[in-house]
Every structure is written in structure tokens, then in C-alpha cells.
């Protein structure tokens, strides 16, 4: 298993980053919040999880070990694969997922595109004894940049919404609405969740 990557950020798209490690570029799938902290040309370290399929090897990258561990644990629930697990972490922090499962808050889980009421109930049932209590102590690895600037958070939020399955036009409108109320807030995870709440009410 590849537990982490440490190197220079050679490139970044709306869903992936390329980390150059000793001359080899490794592509990692990341949440919008993690991608926002990876600046091209800068050194970074990301926790990783390798998903092996018959036709592919896919590397997923995370801000810290806790996020990676939750990504792997939620996949033990029926019907939760890597893509849905990543979407869960795009919408909720690891501790927010722990609190939702512990409190049987299916409403919070259905904020994740791809999770309906029955799916949320199943996830609560199957994960209640697996995620543990909220930690509230996790932080980014050394080498990750500061939170996104006001200039960069909007495209990250739009890209995150599109990658979660929302039409580009709706994603743009939600990001514009959040931008009007964001003030000094620049945390991509907070802003993405705000945009998702708007879309869920639409």
C-alpha cells in the first residue's frame, strides 16, 4: 500500500493533482478542499489510499491520515465505493460524518449526491460501530498550503459541485449565491457545503 506521497505539485485539475516524486508524476484523486491546498510548483505531502480494480489502479489523496482512514472505512458499507466515499468527504469533514452516523442524522448524509434516504439509513446501520467518536484534532500535513484565497475558492467550489454530479449552470449559480454571502470565508469545504445546501433546497 502507498501510505503517502511527498514531492512537488506538478499539476492540478478540478479532480486530480499530480505529485512529482523523484522524477515520477503520480496522479491522485482528491476532494476540492484538499486540491485547494495544493499549489502547483510547491512541495506537498498527502496521505493516500490505493484502490485496486481489475481494469485500473487509482490513487486517492487526502489532507491527513484521519481523512484517509474514514475514506477507507465508509467503503465497508454496502453500496459505498471510492467515488461515493470521496463525495462524502467533499461534503462533510471526517468528524461531521462521525457525528452524523452517531446521531443517525440521515438528513446530513442525504446532502451527499448519490445518497438517498434508504442509503443513508443503511450507512448509519452499517457504520455506527466503525467510525468511532469525533476527534477534532486532525490537521493538514506539513507542506500543504494555506486555505484557498478569495480568488481561487470559487472555481474550486464550482468544480467540486460539477464533479459531485450537479450541472455546470447550477453549480455556477450556487457559487455566485455563496460568494455574495461569504464575506471573509475562504475555506473551500465550508463554502462547498453552503453551496450544496442551496442546491438541495432548490
Amino acid at each position: 500500500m502507498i501510505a503517502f506521497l511527498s514531492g512537488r505539485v506538478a499539476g492540478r485539475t478540478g479532480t486530480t493533482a499530480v505529485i512529482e516524486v523523484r522524477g515520477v508524476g503520480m496522479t491522485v484523486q482528491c476532494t476540492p478542499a484538499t486540491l485547494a491546498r495544493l499549489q502547483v510548483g510547491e512541495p506537498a505531502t498527502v496521505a493516500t489510499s490505493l484502490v485496486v480494480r481489475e481494469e485500473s489502479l487509482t490513487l486517492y489523496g487526502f489532507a491527513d491520515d484521519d481523512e484517509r482512514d474514514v475514506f477507507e472505512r465508509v467503503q465497508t458499507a454496502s453500496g459505498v465505493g471510492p467515488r461515493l466515499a470521496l463525495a462524502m468527504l467533499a461534503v462533510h469533514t471526517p468528524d461531521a460524518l462521525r457525528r452524523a452516523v452517531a446521531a443517525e442524522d440521515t438528513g446530513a448524509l442525504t446532502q451527499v449526491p448519490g445518497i438517498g434516504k434508504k442509503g443513508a439509513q443503511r450507512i448509519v446501520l452499517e457504520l455506527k460501530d466503525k467510525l468511532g467518536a469525533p476527534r477534532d484534532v486532525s490537521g493538514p500535513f506539513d507542506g500543504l498550503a494555506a486555505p484557498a484565497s478569495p480568488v481561487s475558492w470559487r472555481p474550486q467550489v464550482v468544480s467540486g459541485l460539477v464533479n459531485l454530479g450537479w450541472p455546470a449552470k447550477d453549480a455556477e449559480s450556487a457559487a455566485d449565491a455563496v460568494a455574495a454571502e461569504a464575506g471573509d470565508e475562504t475555506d473551500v469545504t465550508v463554502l462547498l457545503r453552503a453551496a450544496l445546501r442551496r442546491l438541495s433546497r432548490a
Side-chain angles (χ1 to χ4, degrees):
M1 176 182 175
I2 302 173
F4 68 90
L5 293 178
S6 185
R8 182 181 66 88
V9 181
R12 194 181 70 180
T13 70
T15 58
T16 65
V18 177
I19 309 293
E20 182 184 350
V21 181
R22 296 185 179 181
V24 178
M26 307 287 284
T27 299
V28 289
Q29 301 276 339
C30 303
T31 65
T34 299
L35 285 169
R37 292 175 169 86
L38 299 174
Q39 303 301 314
V40 176
E42 296 295 323
T45 299
V46 292
T48 56
S49 178
L50 179 64
V51 175
V52 180
R53 294 288 184 267
E54 185 175 342
E55 71 285 355
S56 66
L57 297 173
T58 306
L59 201 58
Y60 293 85
F62 307 93
D64 55 38
D65 289 342
D66 188 34
E67 199 172 69
R68 188 259 321 280
D69 292 345
V70 169
F71 170 79
E72 293 176 346
R73 289 183 187 182
V74 297
Q75 289 180 68
T76 63
S78 304
V80 179
R83 280 183 168 275
L84 187 54
L86 197 67
M88 292 170 73
L89 286 166
V91 177
H92 297 295
T93 64
D95 273 349
L97 282 175
R98 290 188 179 99
R99 284 190 286 268
V101 170
E104 300 184 11
D105 185 356
T106 56
L109 294 175
T110 56
Q111 290 178 10
V112 179
I115 298 180
K117 186 175 181 180
K118 289 185 177 179
Q121 291 171 340
R122 184 179 63 250
I123 287 170
V124 166
L125 180 65
E126 297 185 18
L127 295 181
K128 195 151 191 181
D129 297 324
K130 295 182 178 180
L131 293 184
R135 299 184 180 184
D136 291 324
V137 295
S138 60
F141 270 108
D142 291 339
L144 291 183
S149 69
V151 175
S152 66
W153 73 254
R154 187 181 179 281
Q156 290 289 331
V157 167
V158 171
S159 177
L161 292 171
V162 170
N163 292 323
L164 287 169
W166 295 98
K169 184 177 180 180
D170 292 345
E172 293 277 356
S173 296
D176 287 341
V178 170
E181 302 172 356
D184 295 330
E185 180 62 68
T186 58
D187 188 299
V188 174
T189 300
V190 172
L191 295 162
L192 179 62
R193 291 208 298 263
L196 281 164
R197 284 194 294 271
R198 282 189 166 274
L199 288 168
S200 296
R201 292 197 298 264

